[in-house]
Amino acid sequence: MTGLHYQPVWRQLPYLLGGAAETVMLTVMAFAGGLALAIAIAIARREAANPLRKAAAGYVIFFTNTPQLSQIFAIFYCLPLLGLTFSPFLSVLLGMTLNAGAYMADIVGTEIASTPVLYHEAAATLGLGWRHTYRHIILPRALTRATRGLENHFLLMLLGSSMASIFGVEELTGRAYNIIALTFRSIEVISVVAVLYVVLSLVAAVVFARLWRLA
């Protein structure tokens, strides 16, 4: 009998929702780590001594000009040759974090660079060092203005996290493959998973919209 049959997929819906939760956790952790790294890199590219500034610039050039999948492959398959072994989840998390840090460094750095000189002059008048100037004046403004760009990158990370399935991580796409192998209902599974990704993206957009209003 031909036709679409979703009943086998509905039985696996709790399993898929667990994968969706894994996807969200992976993305949020990588985004948070990447943002912290991006802030450090953006500041280093402006304030650090020349060798560290060049190292930060080189980091951004490398990770924004090589495929993220290749970066994760290197972490998962090459680092064990040096005695560093990570689980599939940690390998993907580390790769996504390092990649996100490079891209978001450009987003945050652009907003830092656009800060009017008046802000720096006011901080100097108050006797603030560069650390306090960034913490209390420059970064709050830069991160607020960068919210749109950060939101777009978060959504890209959310959808791109599906590559974790290649390494055996049972996030949403990984669990979808397992269900397809069990039920042979690829069209039904893929369509349900697509809807779940859309829902996750819309929820993320709502969360960022609220953050934008609060800022």
Side-chain angles (χ1 to χ4, degrees):
M1 182 181 295
T2 61
L4 299 178
H5 299 280
Y6 280 90
Q7 187 175 359
V9 182
W10 297 139
R11 295 197 203 101
Q12 300 293 334
L13 188 58
Y15 179 66
L16 280 176
L17 292 177
E22 188 87 353
T23 292
V24 172
M25 181 174 67
L26 176 62
T27 305
V28 170
M29 291 175 66
F31 180 82
L35 182 57
L37 186 58
I39 292 171
I41 293 171
I43 294 176
R45 292 172 74 181
R46 293 183 59 85
E47 305 293 342
N50 194 49
L52 186 56
R53 188 181 306 169
K54 288 183 177 180
Y59 171 90
V60 172
I61 291 173
F62 175 80
F63 278 96
T64 57
N65 288 279
T66 55
Q68 183 176 217
L69 184 59
S70 297
Q71 296 161 13
I72 300 174
F73 263 106
I75 293 170
F76 189 68
Y77 290 109
C78 298
L79 289 186
L81 301 177
L82 303 176
L84 298 173
T85 302
F86 300 98
S87 68
F89 182 89
L90 286 178
S91 297
V92 175
L93 175 60
L94 182 57
M96 289 180 63
T97 299
L98 293 173
N99 185 271
Y103 278 98
M104 290 193 288
D106 278 339
I107 297 173
V108 175
T110 298
E111 297 303 335
I112 289 177
S114 69
T115 303
V117 178
L118 181 63
Y119 284 73
H120 295 275
E121 294 175 346
T125 301
L126 294 173
L128 297 179
W130 71 266
R131 289 182 178 84
H132 287 89
T133 300
Y134 272 92
R135 179 180 177 183
H136 298 292
I137 299 176
I138 307 301
L139 283 178
R141 177 185 183 275
L143 292 176
T144 299
R145 292 173 60 87
T147 302
R148 298 295 189 189
L150 295 176
E151 175 188 351
N152 290 337
H153 195 74
F154 180 87
L155 294 176
L156 289 175
M157 292 177 66
L158 179 69
L159 300 178
S161 66
S162 59
M163 73 178 67
S165 61
I166 297 174
F167 301 90
V169 179
E170 287 198 350
E171 40 69 69
L172 184 52
T173 298
R175 295 194 181 197
Y177 291 154
N178 293 341
I179 296 174
I180 290 173
L182 179 66
T183 64
F184 300 100
R185 291 291 173 184
S186 57
I187 296 177
E188 292 90 331
V189 173
I190 291 172
S191 61
V192 170
V193 168
V195 171
L196 289 176
Y197 272 115
V198 171
V199 171
L200 292 178
S201 298
L202 291 176
V203 170
V206 170
V207 171
F208 271 94
R210 289 183 177 274
L211 291 176
W212 177 262
R213 286 197 295 269
L214 289 175

